Amino acid sequence: MLTSSRHSLAEVADGLLKPLNKSELKLAQADLQKIGKSEPAVAEMLTAESNLRDFITAALTLSPYLREIANIDTAILAVAISEPLEPRIEALIAEARACWRPQGNGELPSEAEVMSRLRIVKRKVAFLVALADLARVFDGRATTAWLTRLAEASVAAAIDHLLLAAHDGRKIALKDVAAPSEGSGLIILGMGKLGASELNYSSDIDLVVFFDEQAGIVADPDDAIDIFPRLMRRLVRIMQERTADGYVFRTDLRLRPDPGSTPLAIPVDAAMIYYEGRGQNWERAAFIKARAVAGDFEAGEQFLRGLVPFVFRKYLDYAAIADIHSIKRQIHAHKGHGAIAVKGHNVKLGRGGIREIEFFAQTQQLIAGGRMPSLRCRGTEETLAELTRAKWIDEETRDELTEAYWFLRDVEHRIQMAHDEQTHLLPETETDLKRIAFMMGFDDTASFAARLVEVFKTVERRYARLFEQETKLSTETGNLVFTGQADDPDTLNTLRKLGFERPSDISRVIRTWHYGRYKATQSVEARERLTELTPELLRVFGESKRADEAILRFDNFLSGLPAGIQLFSLLGSNPALLSLIVNIMSSAPKLAEVIAAKPHVFDGMLDPGLMAELPTRAYLAERIRSFLAPARYYEEVLDRLRIFADEQRFLIGIRLLTGAIRGAMAGRAFTHVADLVLEAALDAVMKEIRTAHGDFPGGRVAVVGMGKLGSFELTAGSDIDIILLYDYDDEAAESSGPKPLDATRYFTRVTQRLISALSAPTAEGVLYEVDMRLRPSGNKGPVATRIKSFEKYQREEAWTWEHMALTRARLVCGDRVLISEAERIIADVLFSKADVEKIAKDVSEMRALIEQEKPPTSIWDLKLIPGGLIDIEFIAQYLRLVASTKGIVVEGDDFNTAGQVKLLGVELMDRDDMELCLAALSLYTDISQLIRLCIDGLFDPKEAPAGLTDLVSRAGDCPDIKTLEGEIKHLSKAVRKIFQTVVKA
């Protein structure tokens, strides 16, 4: 189908794409004029008005990646506009598939040559396919099919090259050197979108590798376990290592059995034993799409035939159905609550996203595929069609989901082809969202966002119905009677079936509710609503792991509620809110305690619009202004600040818990709350001080945020590190009020009142614990520091570690003139660092000292482990301190660890090292934010709430905690090596 077509970009419709803006348009036109000097076809296109010219120009304004390719490889642009597309792409893929073959002189190409050829072909094919997709010459089906063909050819060529090289090195003896893979027993299975021939534009490829020790190409079968995993390490390098020519495909081998403790290639017999005895339902789901894509195809097909009884069972017991529900929780396409925020939404994993459509299809394949072989298909659209034929879904559902699937895949491709990034997140800025809207052919972001929300809601509605139907089929479980003093035996049996381990205790708790012993259940109407809600409440709690603990936390929550009728009515009509409460109770004991102690924080949940608003600083500033407005006196301001901070931190936590935001965004949002609270508290304190002591002539105050406050990385339980700076007129002796104070006592009083405003317990609790140890001279120094003393100390006395801390110093609030002066001093101090060798030595010694005095308690101590958060933070701080010695002027510093690594790593680090550090930082941040949100103390998978363990696994994009632990060990080891390399440099 693909190769029989002959489409051309000349077919592009009029006005299909709009350029991003005028400045980008001028840049793109200038680039095209330059290209036209060496490419006559491009020059000719530019001379006349045409749809093609307008389309190409607009496309290059919208995708920096495509513009970069056009400038690097001018010939491919000429090909794109002048030749039929399919024959050229077909020829390029054939070129990739043959790149392993011996040259004319019989010599084998080197690994470097194979890598270079594959990368050049990838670049050309990516360019042609992207333009064809943007021009609507190819639809999503053709785009994904061509990208899959390229990936298959690349992997197959790399495997043939590796086998031939091993044959030449006498490690193996091939049966046919002209067809190295045939009869080799080496099985390369493509999983996920590669297996389904639905690869994304910047997708990684999921491979699982097995080998048959008895295939006869290894003289001693015992050597195979060394040879094949070593070849797979080289395969990964060939595919994903970044060179001057780019990369081919990022390659992931983690879907193999128990990836934390098994080699990259596994013997066939060992794999079969694993799947038959220990294979999990998520692995069954993964193998639905598995397909032999390279290596020994005959052996691959035979292996997959052997797996059919594992993947598609004849009968499905209730335990397996419950486990399929748990896959849903692992993948966490959460039904959510309220409106959907478009900016920052994950089109793959978010609510109403691609994964929900895929899971909608896969779940029913697992249930019915054993009895109905026609359902054992790989492609999502094909599966939806077969489910319709089998009467599992109706035609309307099929059509809605198919249309939504390809619309979202188009959006996903455009997100990725903008910068060739493997991301599924819609941009958070208006400009970048406009880029995607224009690439999709919309006139503005509003119409694009409206269509997106419509699609997300369609998918979410269909997905919800699927699980609602299954629920109705499986919850006719028996009596639920909670009247009288004694337990009803049938009710205890029902509770046991629902998943409770201590049914008698649960029965007693629920009888307490119905007796009206809590304020929330004292009214007859409230008890009636609760009675109606109880069966659904118990079912949902029963589905959570450690259901007894979760419902006891809910009981604690109920006991503190002042009233219950509004909540019970809401839960009865809003299953998503009920799921959210269960999620909190089963995963996040700390959040559950917050709700129980301060039920008012839950009020924010009752407004669905709140969950749609991403917690930006502007949004939070508006909320705090309106909330503080009615306060008439100082103590009321402090109480209102505590109520505001509690509610906003809770809502940020809920967004994090449900996957609406990731760890880095949560850190920024928690910091915005702290910034605004600090600013409001300082204003209130200054009014109080002026009332009692008057103004100090020329007096100015500014607060410096240090540590995680400075770097926008606060977590749910963080204290805040601050320094208070001040200045005044030198001639002034004392303040002007009824109780005058000299300068030292005046500004010391300001600082003490500010600390008290933040950390003193009131009826509404504590705002923040305050740490001022990072001020000049630490605890020995005065609590407030005059700006001149601060400058003198930083220039003449500060140690390197204090300058490391200064790289994250951010002026949070206060007098604008003093803020500007402090920012200048900090920038000057950091710019004046000149002794790279001393800085490197001090940073290394500081890290070693921390390691000696605070060794990590486990691999989950992500801050302290070698190669953990501290290593990455120290890399960022070191780069900031040495930047000036490398001739780098830092402008627009955002103080954030990831931001500084990106800003300076581009110049001062190996690109792959930088990306690995950023990936590790993102993973550590996601996990740390969740853990700090949900529990106090360190995370121990054996002791943690089961729901939290699932959340942490999902945050690391791993099927289970053991796999994630292996991933952290691998990443931290790599980060430690990078730390040692960078800080020595």
Side-chain angles (χ1 to χ4, degrees), residues 825-940:
I825 290 167
I826 291 167
D828 287 352
V829 168
L830 294 178
F831 191 75
S832 67
K833 300 292 283 183
D835 190 344
V836 175
E837 194 170 322
K838 182 178 186 309
I839 295 168
K841 180 173 176 288
D842 289 353
V843 172
S844 297
E845 286 176 356
M846 184 71 177
R847 183 65 187 101
L849 183 66
I850 292 171
E851 205 159 339
Q852 181 186 328
E853 296 193 352
K854 290 185 177 179
T857 53
S858 75
I859 189 66
W860 298 103
D861 197 345
L862 297 176
K863 179 179 177 182
L864 295 174
I865 56 171
L869 277 167
I870 285 183
D871 282 31
I872 301 173
E873 289 170 0
F874 276 26
I875 287 170
Q877 292 162 25
Y878 170 80
L879 294 178
R880 183 70 180 83
L881 291 180
V882 302
S884 62
T885 68
K886 310 288 185 182
I888 298 170
V889 178
V890 177
E891 294 177 357
D893 191 344
D894 71 355
F895 310 98
N896 182 258
T897 304
Q900 290 191 340
V901 170
K902 282 181 192 169
L903 183 71
L904 301 168
V906 170
E907 301 286 342
L908 302 177
M909 290 176 72
D910 174 84
R911 179 67 181 258
D912 287 349
D913 287 353
M914 181 186 80
E915 288 185 351
L916 190 140
C917 282
L918 290 171
L921 178 61
S922 176
L923 176 67
Y924 296 161
T925 302
D926 287 347
I927 296 170
S928 301
Q929 284 282 5
L930 266 177
I931 290 170
R932 294 296 299 274
L933 175 72
C934 295
I935 57 172
D936 285 310
L938 283 171
F939 175 71
D940 178 355

Side-chain angles (χ1 to χ4, degrees), residues 933-954:
L933 175 72
C934 295
I935 57 172
D936 285 310
L938 283 171
F939 175 71
D940 178 355
K942 291 174 186 170
E943 300 297 328
L948 176 58
T949 306
D950 286 350
L951 282 174
V952 169
S953 300
R954 191 170 62 245

Side-chain angles (χ1 to χ4, degrees), residues 167-284:
H167 175 84
D168 266 23
R170 304 198 174 178
K171 301 281 187 188
I172 61 175
L174 293 174
K175 295 178 179 177
D176 181 357
V177 292
S181 291
E182 284 184 20
S184 64
L186 181 60
I187 298 166
I188 315 290
L189 300 182
M191 311 291 282
K193 287 188 167 61
L194 175 60
S197 298
E198 295 172 342
L199 216 53
N200 332 328
Y201 191 76
S202 288
S203 181
D204 59 358
I205 54 174
D206 291 296
L207 301 176
V208 181
V209 183
F210 306 103
F211 60 87
D212 182 356
E213 298 159 296
Q214 307 304 321
I217 69 167
V218 181
D220 183 350
D222 290 343
D223 292 339
I225 198 65
D226 292 323
I227 292 169
F228 289 115
R230 197 171 293 132
L231 291 183
M232 290 314 104
R233 276 193 291 276
R234 286 170 63 190
L235 171 69
V236 172
R237 176 175 173 267
I238 289 172
M239 297 301 291
Q240 73 176 29
E241 185 176 283
R242 284 188 179 271
T243 71
D245 296 311
Y247 69 103
V248 193
F249 288 94
R250 286 170 289 265
T251 304
D252 193 337
L253 300 175
R254 288 177 301 172
L255 290 179
R256 67 188 186 276
D258 197 3
S261 59
T262 54
L264 298 181
I266 297 171
V268 166
D269 291 344
M272 281 298 182
I273 291 167
Y274 168 85
Y275 289 122
E276 287 166 7
R278 293 169 50 208
Q280 299 174 55
N281 277 317
W282 72 262
E283 289 171 305
R284 294 176 55 216

Side-chain angles (χ1 to χ4, degrees), residues 675-686:
D675 282 1
L676 293 163
V677 164
L678 255 172
E679 187 175 8
L682 181 63
D683 284 347
V685 164
M686 291 308 297

Side-chain angles (χ1 to χ4, degrees), residues 606-651:
L606 308 185
D607 175 7
L610 273 179
M611 290 301 283
E613 290 274 7
L614 287 174
T616 61
R617 184 177 174 116
Y619 165 77
L620 292 168
E622 181 55 38
R623 303 281 300 179
I624 198 169
R625 265 196 301 275
S626 59
F627 194 70
L628 291 181
R632 288 167 295 171
Y633 47 87
Y634 180 67
E635 288 73 20
E636 190 180 354
V637 171
L638 299 192
D639 277 343
R640 280 183 168 268
L641 280 176
R642 281 156 172 75
I643 292 167
F644 170 81
D646 284 340
E647 183 170 310
Q648 292 306 322
R649 286 186 298 220
F650 177 77
L651 290 173

Side-chain angles (χ1 to χ4, degrees), residues 641-753:
L641 280 176
R642 281 156 172 75
I643 292 167
F644 170 81
D646 284 340
E647 183 170 310
Q648 292 306 322
R649 286 186 298 220
F650 177 77
L651 290 173
I652 293 163
I654 292 299
R655 293 175 176 108
L656 180 64
L657 191 73
T658 57
I661 60 175
R662 298 284 296 274
M665 197 183 291
R668 211 161 265 276
F670 284 129
T671 306
H672 290 327
V673 171
D675 282 1
L676 293 163
V677 164
L678 255 172
E679 187 175 8
L682 181 63
D683 284 347
V685 164
M686 291 308 297
K687 282 176 188 169
E688 286 291 294
I689 293 287
R690 287 184 187 116
T691 302
H693 306 292
D695 278 307
F696 204 97
R700 303 185 294 281
V701 172
V703 177
V704 187
M706 305 293 286
K708 292 200 178 297
L709 174 63
S711 61
F712 295 101
E713 292 167 323
L714 288 183
T715 64
S718 290
D719 57 5
I720 56 173
D721 296 280
I722 59 172
I723 299 172
L724 189 130
L725 300 176
Y726 67 90
D727 205 0
Y728 58 91
D729 292 344
D730 287 330
E731 305 79 35
E734 59 182 20
S735 61
S736 61
K739 297 178 183 176
L741 297 173
D742 62 51
T744 302
R745 286 198 299 156
Y746 185 93
F747 292 105
T748 298
R749 188 71 53 86
V750 170
T751 310
Q752 288 166 339
R753 289 295 293 268

